[in-house]
Amino acid sequence: MIFDTHAHYNDEQFDQDRDDLLGKMKDAGVGTVMEIGASLASSQRAVDLAGRHPFVYAAVGVHPDEVGELNEETFAKLSSLCDMDKVCAVGEIGLDYYWDKEDRETQKYWFIRQLDLAREKGMPVNIHSRDAAEDTMEIMRQHAKGLQGIIHCYSYSKELALEYVKMGFYIGVGGVVTFKNGKKLKETVKAIPLERIVLETDCPYMAPEPNRGKRNDSRNIHYVAEAIAELKGISKEEVIRQTEANAKLIYFSHSFNNAKN
């Protein structure tokens, strides 16, 4: 069954049909969805959504564009969310120099604090990095030792991906791998072992071909799996099977979830 390791079903684009759509996932071959927080509010909504659907789990974290909301009081609230039922990871966290909505030093500070939180809670991380390759890698080398997790929506070189793999991290692959201009990601998929790849949508964004530009959802991962299979010279079924195993190892292997799975 497909494991969507990064989804945002609490986005307003799903307000009209969220629960109905999620009710169709099993019939579409989707077995597990990780709902990702990007702020305190969306992290709480992720926990709530996981409570309504047995196959949905939650990650809680504050995206670099939203770290202005963090202070010691709100960080304590985030820490408490980590202890909620079905919370499996800290994320998405990281750096975003594309939008530069928050001061870069502030982004770095709260990125490191959230990495430390993940270590404290014994949880994996889900990393967002856009136009910030060098600083992200520097922080990961210094502050992510011993952590496990996913470099979400990977967009850098295959060489950097191989460095993350050496560090024990997994590469999140979504709709871009189906794009004609997705050359870097295609090269990355060819270069790294399938045992280090996970599937994701980042829905409602990043829909793959042939649905590019439309609202994305987990059912579209079939197209991503097909593209990876073609690049690897293997079957789509093997891609789905191995990436599901990878995702379960990341998200469900720490002590909290061992009792639940």
Side-chain angles (χ1 to χ4, degrees):
M1 297 282 279
I2 287 170
F3 194 131
D4 184 353
T5 63
H6 196 113
H8 298 284
Y9 282 105
N10 279 296
D11 189 276
E12 62 184 10
Q13 292 188 47
F14 295 111
D15 282 353
Q16 301 302 313
D17 63 346
R18 180 177 297 111
D19 290 313
D20 180 61
L21 177 61
L22 286 168
K24 298 174 180 176
M25 289 299 162
K26 187 174 182 180
D27 289 342
V30 179
T32 315
V33 170
M34 188 62 59
E35 177 70 10
I36 305 288
S39 65
L40 283 173
S42 63
S43 292
Q44 180 63 64
R45 292 195 298 270
V47 173
D48 295 342
L49 190 71
R52 296 202 305 272
H53 295 274
F55 67 96
V56 177
Y57 294 81
V60 299
V62 178
H63 185 287
D65 288 345
E66 306 294 335
V67 292
E69 73 175 5
L70 286 173
N71 53 46
E72 292 307 318
E73 182 180 356
T74 54
F75 190 74
K77 292 179 181 178
L78 179 62
S79 178
S80 296
L81 281 174
C82 291
D83 299 326
M84 300 293 285
D85 191 33
K86 296 182 75 178
V87 173
C88 299
V90 174
E92 61 185 286
I93 63 175
L95 303 175
D96 194 315
Y97 294 172
Y98 178 81
W99 294 112
D100 259 348
K101 289 184 178 179
E102 299 287 348
D103 174 78
R104 292 185 180 185
E105 291 306 311
T106 302
Q107 288 188 44
K108 291 176 185 178
Y109 175 79
W110 288 111
F111 181 21
I112 293 167
R113 287 290 301 274
Q114 291 183 92
L115 288 170
D116 290 342
L117 178 64
R119 181 176 291 104
E120 175 191 333
K121 299 293 183 178
M123 287 181 166
V125 289
N126 194 288
I127 304 297
H128 172 103
S129 180
R130 189 172 186 186
D131 288 1
E134 186 175 341
D135 283 355
T136 303
M137 177 56 84
E138 182 179 353
I139 287 174
M140 294 289 283
R141 282 181 172 145
Q142 292 183 21
H143 299 278
K145 290 177 182 176
L147 293 178
Q148 189 178 42
I150 297 167
I151 313 301
H152 147 67
C153 197
Y154 188 80
S155 61
Y156 300 133
S157 69
K158 65 181 180 182
E159 290 80 12
L160 196 61
L162 287 166
E163 285 299 306
Y164 278 119
V165 166
K166 287 179 185 177
M167 293 166 64
F169 285 83
Y170 294 72
I171 304 300
V173 178
V176 174
V177 78
T178 70
F179 299 170
K180 288 182 179 178
N181 62 348
K183 183 180 177 182
K184 279 202 300 183
L185 184 56
K186 293 177 194 287
E187 290 176 348
T188 295
V189 167
K190 289 180 180 178
I192 64 175
L194 186 62
E195 289 77 13
R196 287 289 167 174
I197 293 174
V198 293
L199 306 181
E200 63 175 38
T201 54
D202 203 18
C203 67
Y205 314 104
M206 307 301 290
E209 298 288 359
N211 296 322
R212 187 175 183 180
K214 299 178 182 178
R215 186 185 75 171
N216 197 12
D217 69 62
S218 304
R219 297 172 297 179
N220 283 325
I221 284 186
H222 284 285
Y223 298 113
V224 176
E226 287 171 1
I228 294 172
E230 185 174 346
L231 289 165
K232 290 287 196 186
I234 57 179
S235 69
K236 183 181 84 168
E237 290 72 24
E238 184 176 349
V239 172
I240 290 172
R241 182 171 59 252
Q242 183 62 54
T243 56
E244 180 188 33
N246 298 344
K248 286 183 174 180
L249 187 63
I250 298 163
Y251 283 133
F252 298 157
S253 62
H254 62 84
S255 59
F256 177 83
N257 279 294
N258 279 338
K260 297 189 176 296
N261 291 279

